[in-house]
Amino acid sequence: SGNDVRRVGEEGLFEMLVEKNIEAFRKSQFETIVTTDPHTYNTIKNEYSSGNGRYPVLHYTELLDKLTTSGDLKFAKKLDYKVTYHDPCYLGRYNGVLNAPRRVISATGCELVEMPRHGERTFCCGAGGGRIWMDEGELEVRPSEDRIREAVALDGVTIFVVACPKDVTRYQDAVKTAGLEDKISVKDRSE
């Protein structure tokens, strides 16, 4: 989508990618663009100037929500996990997609325990805006480790659910570096 290159200041490359992608969209037949990446979701939905609703975009959690709500997707076996969910900034804070991921978690049979910083007040992991490529410098505690410790402090929570491909790697690494592999595991919402 060009999100990352735009966030690090490569506006020309971003515009080139937008033109190339819009050309591909025009040549294709589709009803909706579905993405797993909240950054791509935000970029195509809000920053593709030719888009402006012309290319409907769904985050995959919205699609799963529609399918479970309509009854088109049913779970043969309900899960019995106590989980917490990390709202990606570009999904929750910037685009207001807060309920769909939670309804899908509920539909699986999992019990959701909210972290103190959630929803529109979610804790930013720092992966967006091009920061995923930057050195974290002289931090005492990495933001991702801080977030994992927040989740581990919740009573009975054993799974940290994410809905962004960048978060899977970032938080799995944080679980290891914080030495908490025996306390919590990171799962993508689709898992």
Side-chain angles (χ1 to χ4, degrees):
S1 70
N3 171 74
D4 293 343
V5 296
R6 187 174 218 189
R7 299 296 176 256
V8 296
E10 292 288 340
E11 192 66 26
L13 180 54
F14 171 75
E15 291 298 329
M16 186 177 74
L17 288 168
V18 168
E19 288 175 22
K20 184 177 179 182
N21 287 336
I22 288 177
E23 183 180 323
F25 294 164
R26 287 184 182 136
K27 291 178 181 178
S28 303
Q29 291 182 346
F30 61 90
E31 292 178 26
T32 305
I33 297 168
V34 179
T35 179
T36 60
D37 181 18
H39 304 271
T40 297
Y41 173 88
N42 180 70
T43 301
I44 294 173
K45 182 176 180 177
N46 300 316
E47 297 178 10
Y48 274 37
S49 60
S50 300
N52 294 334
R54 185 170 167 197
Y55 304 112
V57 183
L58 287 177
H59 186 261
Y60 78 98
T61 58
E62 293 176 298
L63 176 61
L64 289 173
D65 181 44
K66 285 181 180 209
L67 293 172
T68 57
T69 302
S70 71
D72 291 330
L73 176 63
K74 296 176 184 164
F75 299 98
K77 178 184 172 190
K78 296 288 184 175
L79 302 175
D80 187 27
Y81 299 114
K82 207 175 216 186
V83 306
T84 195
Y85 171 66
H86 171 73
D87 290 278
C89 292
Y90 278 91
L91 194 59
R93 185 180 299 158
Y94 296 121
N95 286 285
V97 179
L98 302 169
N99 296 324
R102 287 168 171 79
R103 282 190 296 263
V104 175
I105 289 170
S106 177
T108 66
C110 289
E111 178 186 346
L112 176 65
V113 179
E114 296 284 11
M115 288 182 274
R117 298 175 285 182
H118 68 276
E120 291 173 344
R121 297 176 301 108
T122 190
F123 177 68
C124 182
C125 69
R131 292 200 53 84
I132 195 169
W133 312 113
M134 297 177 71
D135 182 13
E136 292 177 313
E138 301 293 323
L139 295 175
E140 288 184 32
V141 178
R142 292 171 38 206
S144 54
E145 287 180 14
D146 185 34
R147 188 64 160 163
I148 290 296
R149 290 183 200 288
E150 186 176 344
V152 168
L154 299 171
D155 186 37
V157 168
T158 58
I159 299 175
F160 185 85
V161 179
V162 297
C164 174
K166 291 177 176 136
D167 288 346
V168 173
T169 304
R170 187 174 196 80
Y171 288 116
Q172 284 177 342
D173 183 56
V175 167
K176 290 176 190 170
T177 58
L180 297 169
E181 296 98 331
D182 61 332
K183 302 272 186 211
I184 198 161
S185 63
V186 177
K187 301 281 184 190
D188 182 81
R189 173 51 273 166
S190 63
E191 291 180 272

